[in-house]
């Protein structure tokens, strides 16, 4: 019998808040490092989407698999990646999670079930199907959760992956973070449906729409969907409605977005919503929240400072890990 | 006791069956490979023997199932995927050259991708321009991939076993015209490692290097040249990445003459790399500039009357060798 | 205003019948030529699916574009390809529509709007979108109709094409010939939906299910859908339920199909259905029908005989038409 | 009057604008090329000038819009498609190498496919393993395609114009590191035909052949070698299919020494084909075996400290040339 999804207790919610603040602070710091010319290449930050990463991570066990995209810092941190190792990777240092060989778009930590960032839009979805299929073949209860954007739902790999997961009834959860934009294009310019979730119909797959800025809502939906997948109920498509508060990548100011749209979504900032929920619970005070904010700020600042000091990778890394 | 004789197709089938039997991590995926035993029957009987968890039919979704194979490989399975005709990989190219090839590197060795993509290539059966290429060149510029070809039943068995045992992604190219060819078969012989060419005929006057169906054509050419007093050495290059240049250089240091024959247009084939490497290492041994033969610079035409003329054959190889040697 | 779709008049229906018999006889003859070892490579015949090709062709004008697959003989003949030139192509002769360079899988005649057979599953769909988009950009009333199988609806190109046509509102008609099998796999083994038509939901696109063995039904649906596309109403997904009476390709006997399934579909042979409709109309007699059958038999036999005598292509053809 | 000077990016923008203005059949398609002016701003301003029927934003559907471009081309449009990063063509490879490349042939010339695929390639900006390749080799084994590269603003303009005017499909490879480079620009100069290499520096001691960003590196190497008394000729190969071997052979017949530098792994690059052709035609002129330099046999690493060392540079080219000449 599927246990009912429960709301997070105040202590757990405070921990989720801490995780969200950690992601926010991390991302803001990456932007600053970029502006200090310490980050080469591109970064794709997720400010505003923290509740998705954290709500899902809270519903998973360490055995579960996640996969995600170039906009993946939040997912990595939410499941426990060390901020220092993440910073170091983004700075291209030898202490990075991928020893500097991957970069911002590829934060990976297999020990934490963080199976990879896929920087080609859609390419992670079939891999996630394979991860879930593998768990199924081994009669394990692990699930495979894969995160992607609204824009990614227009690419062929999306379609093939959902169909394949459906025919295998594999424990794969497709989480579309609908942040309204694919790069600089609003979703209504690239697809004619309002909700990506309707696309599940094409595979007779269950689907669900969730307020992606409300970590409680994400967490509760995630529990139900994960439980279904764990118990042989097969795949689900979950659409988390959210918003990318910043531009698409490092240098994009996002000027193409209507100001009212930005304003209204900033008012629904996931941190604001969670803070309100915490205070409403009655068992968390403003001081508790401020303490979390402060400790995160210190930890992230220290992590960034340590990463900035980390050595460059050895030249031998260039040809290491190509083959066995 | 004489060797058993099997077809190339049977040898591949044995290799898959033995791999499935020995290692529970091996799984097969592809279109119509299970219930139907494969379009070319390479996987015939394997579903009945190993069941649907090991031998999986898939929808027509090459991106989907190649990507799923990568996912399976990341967690310890050893998937072997069939691409029914080589060109179909074009709809899923990204999963091979980007996802599979780079995951070990991108994760700095945290994960690896022990998968095999069996690609059915080759002309000669009237399948036309979209179903007749060998496509080695699609893969040879991708560090992280190995590219292996088999020209005989014995190699088909052993190289496929080596490919499945390899910890990294291997594109394994088969030639559909060879499926019905018979040859000696010793499954218990020493494994054939990836990265080693084979001298399949010794000779003193000229080295011919070939792969896939071009090996048999070159051997036939060598026979007819022998009658004309020209003694040809034939090397099956077998692996394109990594390429065994040593064996070719050793041969050329004796014959002083090189002809490379491939079933691809020379504009993008692997023969250029081989010639360039041989020249850089055996320049002084060469009496003549190395020559190359490939498919005409055109898609493979359908008509039987045209197709056979678009690809090197024993006759055209022998003719070219004769001209080369100034006979 | 969209004119209502009309049923075919008896004379027109008799002509459709003639076209269907022509296709059937052509395909049966190809099989015989193959058995006589005159056909190299593969053939994919369409016996049982004639009503789809003919019903759609009847609703098109010569300006419209069609594209189709390796199973394309019927579509080519229905829009007027010369049977002799088609046979010659399949036999690899110089008088073939593609001078022997294409073969059975690529019968093409641009003058008739037959823009190409695509032998890679799904690859014709995006091309068809471009053809329709071109007509739209030129403010023409042409439409682009593309035919593909049930199996093809599982490939990424299907998804991308429908989405793209929808966002452009281009005059593209996607006709899925659901013959229940993709090669040797029954549809229920490769997808979880019963009707491919539901997939239109994912693009907010109209769709329709049609009895693909009833040429009248196909013709009427086609008229409506074509008219919508011509008048700016955008794309439609039409699923024609039909059956592949023979195996997938030349040597496949189709033994994996349940005998009852085969029997029940043979009872719904499109030729039988149309003959009944003709006789029911009262203005066509059995003798009229027999006359059509006879004249087609003679014409196809003559066409095949002529093609068998045709010369092989010149060797210079090998490298002709690679570039301008 | 001195030549105007523009960036490579601006030159491409001019080429597109002029093509759009001169020929109503030209249309542009790609992700974020219209309203946003392109990820690298190559199409900036074109939507405003030519409107949404000529400059079209597309969903993230490379197979969809590349295939749509083929359809447009078949009926007389001249689509120019942007692939934002070269590797993204991997998800739509089939539409380029099978659909676009073969439709003229398969229809026996009834139709043709005058389209250009603009592919943004190249390393050096820290984009990592999935966004830094040049990918020429993906295309060079495909008869029916032409493969063109541009190394300077002047060539960027003229070669792109030639590609758009070409009646057949052209893969046009740009290098993202060059976008900001300035160079002389004469839009009214004679057109640069596809298939013609350019001697960009004359010299007597060694011929270096390169493409894309490797041209500037080779020129810089030549400057430093000149100081050491080594006189280098530098050729920009420009077109990989068809390849202008004549120009290289003519050069080598004077210099007797050849070094080919490309931004790809040598295992699958185009330098092998060039060396093999040159050797077959200029064997007697060569004093030394031709040498090659390419990207290391690895994906392009992200870290700035590694990326620069993975690719040939002016310094490593100069060092190699010095060793070659035994100085
Ligand atoms: C196949 C492919 N095409 C294009 C791109 C370039 N690209 C990177 S991110 C992006 C937008 C993706 O939008 P969405 O899926 O909504 O994700 P978001 O960035 O909003 O998280 C694009 C077009 C790519 N990486 N891969
Ligand atoms: C990309 C690709 N994968 C696989 C094939 C092999 N193949 C040819 S036809 C076919 C079945 C197609 O089924 P369906 O779409 O239902 O069309 P039908 O043959 O029934 O007309 C397959 C798998 C192919 N041609 N292209
Ligand atoms: Mg988005
Ligand atoms: Mg079918």
């Amino acid at each position: 019998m599927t246990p009912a999804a429960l709301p997070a207790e105040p202590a757990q919610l405070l921990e989720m808040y801490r995780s969200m603040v950690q992601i926010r602070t991390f991302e803001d710091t990456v932007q600053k490092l970029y502006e200090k010319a310490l980050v080469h290449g591109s970064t794709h930050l997720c400010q505003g989407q923290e509740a998705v990463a954290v709500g899902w991570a809270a519903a998973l066990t360490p055995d579960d698999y996640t996969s995600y995209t170039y906009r993946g810092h939040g997912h990595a941190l939410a499941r426990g990646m060390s901020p220092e190792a993440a910073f170091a990777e983004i700075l291209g240092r030898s202490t990075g999670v991928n020893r500097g060989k991957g970069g911002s778009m590829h934060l990976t930590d297999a020990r934490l079930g963080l199976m990879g960032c896929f920087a080609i839009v859609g390419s992670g979805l079939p891999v996630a199907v394979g991860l879930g299929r593998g768990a199924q073949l081994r009669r394990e209860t692990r699930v495979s959760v894969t995160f992607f954007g609204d824009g990614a739902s227009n690419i062929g790999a999306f379609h093939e992956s959902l169909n394949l997961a459906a025919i295998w009834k594999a424990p794969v959860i497709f989480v579309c973070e609908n942040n309204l934009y694919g790069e600089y294009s609003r979703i209504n310019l690239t697809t004619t449906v309002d909700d990506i979730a309707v696309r599940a119909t094409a595979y007779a797959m269950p689907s669900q729409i969730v307020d992606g800025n409300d970590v409680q809502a994400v967490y509760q939906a995630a529990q139900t969907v994960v439980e279904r997948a764990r118990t042989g109920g097969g795949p689900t498509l979950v659409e988390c409605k959210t918003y990318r508060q910043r531009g698409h990548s490092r240098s994009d100011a996002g000027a193409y977005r209507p100001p009212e749209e930005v304003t209204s979504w900033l008012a629904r900032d996931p941190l604001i919503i969670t803070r309100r929920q915490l205070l409403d619970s009655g068992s968390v005070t403003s001081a508790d929240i401020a303490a979390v904010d402060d400790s995160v700020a210190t930890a992230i600042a220290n992590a960034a400072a340590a990463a900035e000091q980390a050595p460059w990778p050895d030249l031998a890394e260039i040809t290491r890990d190509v083959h066995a | 006791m004489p060797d058993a004789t099997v077809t190339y197709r049977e040898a591949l089938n044995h290799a898959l069956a033995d791999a499935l039997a020995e290692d529970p991590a091996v799984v097969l995926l592809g279109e119509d490979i299970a219930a139907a035993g494969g379009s070319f029957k390479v996987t015939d009987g394997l579903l009945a023997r190993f069941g649907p968890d090991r031998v999986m039919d898939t929808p027509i979704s090459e991106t989907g199932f190649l990507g799923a194979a990568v996912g399976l490989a990341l967690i310890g399975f050893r998937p072997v995927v069939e691409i029914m005709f080589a060109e179909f990989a074009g709809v899923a190219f990204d999963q091979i050259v980007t996802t599979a090839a780079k995951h070990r590197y991108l994760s700095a060795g945290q994960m690896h991708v022990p998968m095999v993509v069996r690609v059915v290539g080759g002309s000669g059966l009237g399948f036309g321009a979209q179903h007749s290429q060998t496509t080695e060149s699609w893969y040879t510029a991708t560090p992280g991939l190995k590219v292996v070809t088999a020209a005989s039943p014995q190699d088909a068995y052993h190289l496929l076993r080596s490919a499945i045992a390899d910890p990294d992604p291997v594109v394994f190219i088969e030639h559909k015209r060879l499926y019905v060819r018979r040859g000696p078969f010793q499954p218990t012989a020493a494994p054939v490692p990836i990265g080693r060419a084979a001298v399949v005929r010794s000779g003193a006057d000229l080295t011919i290097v070939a792969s896939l169906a071009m090996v048999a054509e070159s051997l036939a050419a060598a026979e007819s040249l022998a009658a004309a007093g020209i003694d040809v050495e034939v090397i099956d290059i077998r692996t394109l990445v990594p390429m065994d240049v040593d064996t070719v250089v050793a041969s050329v240091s004796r014959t002083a003459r090189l002809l490379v024959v491939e079933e691809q247009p020379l504009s993008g084939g692997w023969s250029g790399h081989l010639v360039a490497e041989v020249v850089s290492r055996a320049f002084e041994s060469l009496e003549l500039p190395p020559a190359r033969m490939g498919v005409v610079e055109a898609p493979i035409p359908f008509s039987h009357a045209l197709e056979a003329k678009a690809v090197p054959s024993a006759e055209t190889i022998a003719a070219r060798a004769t001209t080369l040697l100034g006979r």
Side-chain angles (χ1 to χ4, degrees), chain A:
Chain A
M1 212 195 68
T2 305
L6 296 173
E9 295 295 311
Q12 193 186 0
L13 188 60
L14 188 61
E15 173 51 28
M16 289 186 195
Y17 174 74
R18 195 203 57 77
S19 181
M20 290 164 66
V21 174
Q22 185 192 50
I23 296 171
R24 175 70 53 90
T25 316
F26 183 93
E27 295 292 65
D28 290 345
T29 307
V30 171
Q31 183 66 24
K32 281 187 208 119
L33 291 170
Y34 166 69
E35 283 156 15
K36 281 165 68 182
L38 288 168
V39 182
H40 288 270
S42 203
T43 56
H44 305 79
L45 307 180
C46 71
Q47 292 102 327
Q49 305 182 205
E50 296 88 348
V52 179
V54 171
W56 280 96
L60 300 178
T61 71
D63 279 346
D64 295 317
Y65 301 122
T66 52
S67 47
Y68 35 100
T69 72
Y70 47 88
R71 199 178 306 288
H73 303 172
H75 295 295
L77 295 171
R79 292 196 75 200
M81 181 176 283
S82 134
E84 184 182 327
F87 276 130
E89 186 62 32
I90 294 166
L91 296 174
R93 306 308 168 95
S94 69
T95 54
V97 272
N98 312 352
R99 293 205 297 278
K101 291 155 78 145
S104 164
M105 292 201 273
H106 297 286
L107 302 185
T108 309
D109 192 336
R111 291 163 313 176
L112 299 172
L114 296 164
M115 304 301 283
C117 300
F118 297 83
I120 307 290
V121 166
S123 69
L125 277 72
V127 177
V129 175
L131 296 168
R133 177 65 168 157
Q136 181 187 39
L137 289 173
R138 289 176 172 152
R139 314 286 186 269
E140 296 171 344
T141 56
R142 291 178 211 251
V143 303
S144 167
V145 186
T146 186
F147 299 91
F148 53 92
D150 45 292
S153 81
N154 294 325
I155 203 158
F158 166 88
H159 174 68
E160 297 190 11
S161 300
L162 270 77
N163 188 58
L164 199 51
I167 198 83
W168 280 338
K169 226 169 188 252
V172 185
I173 299 162
F174 298 94
V175 182
C176 178
E177 299 187 65
N178 185 346
N179 62 10
L180 295 185
Y181 289 84
E183 298 212 341
Y184 323 116
S185 294
R186 208 171 181 290
I187 179 177
N188 55 299
L189 302 172
T190 57
T191 186
T192 47
V193 292
D194 295 321
D195 299 319
I196 303 302
V198 306
R199 296 193 156 170
T201 315
Y203 321 98
M205 186 187 290
S207 70
Q208 194 166 337
I209 296 177
V210 180
D211 178 352
N213 282 22
D214 178 348
V215 75
Q216 279 279 21
V218 173
Y219 174 61
Q220 285 192 257
Q223 287 176 77
T224 310
V225 168
V226 167
E227 189 58 26
R228 180 190 308 142
R230 279 204 209 294
T231 53
T236 306
L237 172 62
V238 182
E239 178 177 3
C240 295
K241 304 273 193 189
T242 183
Y243 198 67
R244 194 192 71 200
Q245 294 183 349
R246 304 302 181 94
H248 165 66
S249 62
R250 49 174 196 188
S251 49
D252 169 31
Y256 42 83
R257 299 173 306 170
E260 325 76 67
E261 181 186 281
V262 179
T263 316
S264 78
W265 279 96
L266 287 180
R268 301 204 65 254
D269 185 314
L271 297 183
I272 298 178
I273 292 174
T274 313
R275 267 190 225 113
R276 195 174 314 127
Q277 289 168 344
L278 285 167
L279 296 174
D280 287 354
S281 77
S283 34
V284 174
T285 66
S286 301
D288 295 334
I289 292 173
V292 166
D293 292 349
D294 287 349
S295 87
V296 166
T298 310
I300 291 292
N302 290 344
E308 276 189 61
Q309 300 308 318
W312 295 104
D314 201 277
L315 281 189
E317 283 294 345
I318 296 178
T319 49
R320 199 175 285 156
D321 302 321
V322 180
H323 294 291

Side-chain angles (χ1 to χ4, degrees), chain B residues 90 93-94 102 105 129 133 140 143 266-267 272-273 277 279 289 292 298 301:
Chain B
F93 194 56
D94 174 64
K102 300 190 166 129
Y105 194 77
Q133 291 164 266
T140 47
L266 297 180
S267 59
H273 177 58
E277 289 298 305
V279 167
R292 300 186 296 153

